[in-house]
Amino acid sequence: MYQGRPSVITPEYAGLLQLQNVFPKSAKLLKIYGGIDDRYHSDGQVTTTSAKSYWYLAYRAASYSEYKVTENGARHSQLHENGNVDAKIITFFVGKNCLFGY
């Protein structure tokens, strides 16, 4: 089994752990999370540690990449309005040769 099990397991995470061994091996994942450099190491709502803990659940995935947003718009509620996040998502789904503007 993959190394890296979180030291604190919430009831919600425990429920997801039950599905860990059936996670599709063909899945390709892009994890986007924010970091506002606060004392909690979070995006204002979710800690970076918690956001990164989903790798442990999806270790079977064909690919897993992470993108940490640190500039303006890194707060949890702002990620969906961030142009850099949009670009990363478009590139993930469409490919590196996609042309788009912001």
Side-chain angles (χ1 to χ4, degrees):
M1 183 165 289
Y2 174 74
Q3 302 276 327
R5 181 182 173 99
S7 58
V8 176
I9 304 294
T10 64
E12 295 83 5
Y13 197 90
L16 293 172
L17 273 174
Q18 294 177 17
L19 302 173
Q20 182 185 41
N21 291 325
V22 297
F23 193 89
K25 291 181 180 180
S26 62
K28 295 179 180 178
L29 302 173
L30 171 62
K31 175 66 180 170
I32 297 173
Y33 61 98
I36 61 171
D37 201 24
D38 63 356
R39 66 185 178 135
Y40 303 108
H41 303 285
S42 75
D43 65 5
Q45 188 170 342
V46 178
T47 66
T48 300
T49 302
S50 181
K52 293 176 71 75
S53 72
Y54 284 91
W55 163 244
Y56 184 75
L57 297 171
Y59 76 94
R60 294 167 42 109
S63 70
Y64 184 95
S65 54
E66 294 181 339
Y67 177 58
K68 181 179 181 182
V69 180
T70 57
E71 71 276 355
N72 290 337
R75 287 194 166 279
H76 188 82
S77 62
Q78 297 171 329
L79 288 171
H80 72 281
E81 298 173 3
N82 186 308
N84 291 332
V85 169
D86 293 344
K88 195 69 158 174
I89 292 169
I90 291 168
T91 300
F92 179 77
F93 281 110
V94 179
K96 293 183 168 82
N97 297 320
C98 177
L99 298 175
F100 51 89
Y102 287 97

